[in-house]
Amino acid sequence: MHVSESDIFFLAAYYNMSTFSFQGSGIPRASRYLLELSPYAKDREQADALHPADARWIDTKTGLFMNAYAVRYNLSHPDSEGRLRLLSCKDGSEIVLWYLSLHRITEED
């Protein structure tokens, strides 16, 4: 799961080690989940090679978890030039954004 860098900062500041309940339709009892943030969640570089995730949602009953990674602008990447912006995560995934400049067409154009 990917979240924005500002959202990771917010979760780290206010919700680290919080538990949440979720009950879907047709499920007799609510499931409980723990949000655990890495001590390195605010770091841009990967500090822990074995556990690069910035956060985890952990099912408190089964121990199954889903990793969450912050998506950050990578301005030092060689392909991040001009209108192209590259986002990257500590898991090695990359997302390319194109910035479009809007030009209002007038009768003179």
Side-chain angles (χ1 to χ4, degrees):
M1 172 172 79
H2 293 116
V3 296
S4 71
E5 184 176 35
S6 61
D7 288 340
I8 281 290
F9 290 165
F10 179 80
L11 291 171
Y14 297 105
Y15 291 103
N16 189 23
M17 301 307 287
S18 297
T19 56
F20 299 87
S21 294
F22 174 76
Q23 184 168 2
S25 61
I27 299 173
R29 199 166 59 181
S31 297
R32 294 180 58 79
Y33 298 92
L34 172 71
L35 177 63
E36 177 185 44
L37 278 97
S38 165
Y40 308 108
K42 293 182 178 182
D43 295 344
R44 289 186 148 265
E45 300 299 321
Q46 183 178 358
D48 187 354
L50 296 176
H51 307 285
D54 293 310
R56 284 189 171 153
W57 284 105
I58 305 168
D59 185 324
T60 59
K61 184 176 180 181
T62 65
L64 293 174
F65 60 88
M66 179 173 41
N67 288 334
Y69 297 93
V71 177
R72 298 172 164 95
Y73 282 105
N74 188 345
L75 299 177
S76 63
H77 194 280
D79 291 335
S80 285
E81 297 176 2
R83 294 174 25 193
L84 175 69
R85 292 292 181 253
L86 188 72
L87 301 173
S88 62
C89 299
K90 291 179 187 176
D91 68 347
S93 61
E94 296 178 340
I95 302 164
V96 175
L97 292 179
W98 288 90
Y99 286 102
L100 301 175
S101 60
L102 299 176
H103 177 72
R104 185 173 184 180
I105 298 174
T106 61
E107 289 183 21
E108 291 84 30
D109 288 340

